[in-house]
Amino acid sequence: EPDKFLTVASELRKRFFQTYSGLESWHERCREDAKRKGYVDSYFGGRRHTPWLRYKGEDVDKSRWSNYMNLVLNSPVQNFEAVTIYDAMAKIDKAIKKEKMRSTLRFNVHDSLGGYCKKDEQKEFHHLLLENAEVHGKYVVPLTCEVKYGDVWGFGKELKL
């Protein structure tokens, strides 16, 4: 059973990098830059210092080195996500005020936004969220949204429009 899992995981990874062909070379550039410079920059200018990558001695175990390499890839992605979600929140808030809606955007948790939506504004709010949070054609990977409604955050159901 573990062999089957690894086979499926390997195939998914292969298809992912075929679909987003620019990411694999970006991964390699990030790793090499971090090893050479001792830091990695994000798209929006955030910088994660990684001085331990400038020295790889006999004392560094493979597991720790692998974790460092993952950090090099995750840091720019996490910074990108944070800036992007804050930008979307500002746009959504501005649109809510412009439309004089009673629904509100209240919080974000990682890559999720949460708020309170009045039932009679659900369709308008739904479209407003998508218009102000989704980004297509600007980056290598499209930024898409999934909108769900429920009584408690995290337990929503997708609205069929």
Side-chain angles (χ1 to χ4, degrees):
E1 204 57 35
D3 288 339
K4 184 178 179 182
F5 174 78
L6 289 175
T7 302
V8 170
S10 294
E11 184 57 32
L12 284 171
R13 186 180 194 284
K14 179 181 166 188
R15 286 199 331 248
F16 177 83
F17 283 113
Q18 285 172 341
T19 302
Y20 303 109
S21 57
L23 286 178
E24 205 157 27
S25 61
W26 177 79
H27 280 191
E28 214 34 58
R29 276 194 318 275
C30 281
R31 289 180 180 123
E32 292 306 313
D33 283 352
K35 284 191 271 186
R36 186 172 36 82
K37 298 187 293 190
Y39 61 86
V40 62
D41 287 325
S42 75
Y43 182 84
F44 294 114
R47 179 170 286 177
R48 175 75 179 256
H49 290 274
T50 57
W52 55 84
L53 295 181
R54 296 199 67 191
Y55 167 77
K56 183 181 178 187
E58 298 293 322
D59 59 329
V60 179
D61 65 52
K62 287 183 181 185
S63 176
R64 187 179 316 164
W65 187 257
S66 177
N67 286 337
Y68 291 159
M69 289 293 108
N70 288 336
L71 184 137
V72 164
L73 298 178
N74 287 337
S75 293
V77 171
Q78 289 169 343
N79 178 267
F80 181 89
E81 181 273 326
V83 171
T84 304
I85 202 98
Y86 296 148
D87 183 55
M89 288 173 70
K91 288 178 182 175
I92 292 165
D93 186 60
K94 186 176 180 178
I96 288 170
K97 288 175 182 170
K98 181 182 176 191
E99 297 298 322
K100 296 181 172 50
M101 296 177 75
R102 295 170 294 131
S103 298
T104 60
L105 195 59
R106 291 289 180 187
F107 62 89
N108 83 293
V109 176
H110 302 294
D111 61 352
S112 296
L113 297 176
Y116 300 104
C117 179
K118 300 295 183 180
K119 287 188 181 204
D120 62 326
E121 295 179 344
Q122 211 168 25
K123 285 185 181 182
E124 184 182 1
F125 193 63
H126 183 94
H127 289 297
L128 185 143
L129 291 172
L130 294 178
E131 286 173 17
N132 290 284
E134 288 196 333
V135 181
H136 298 276
K138 187 174 179 181
Y139 308 112
V140 174
V141 178
L143 307 180
T144 61
C145 297
E146 179 181 272
V147 180
K148 294 185 177 183
Y149 297 88
D151 294 329
V152 179
W153 176 80
F155 295 95
K157 294 183 181 165
E158 195 163 352
L159 177 66
K160 301 296 181 203
L161 299 175

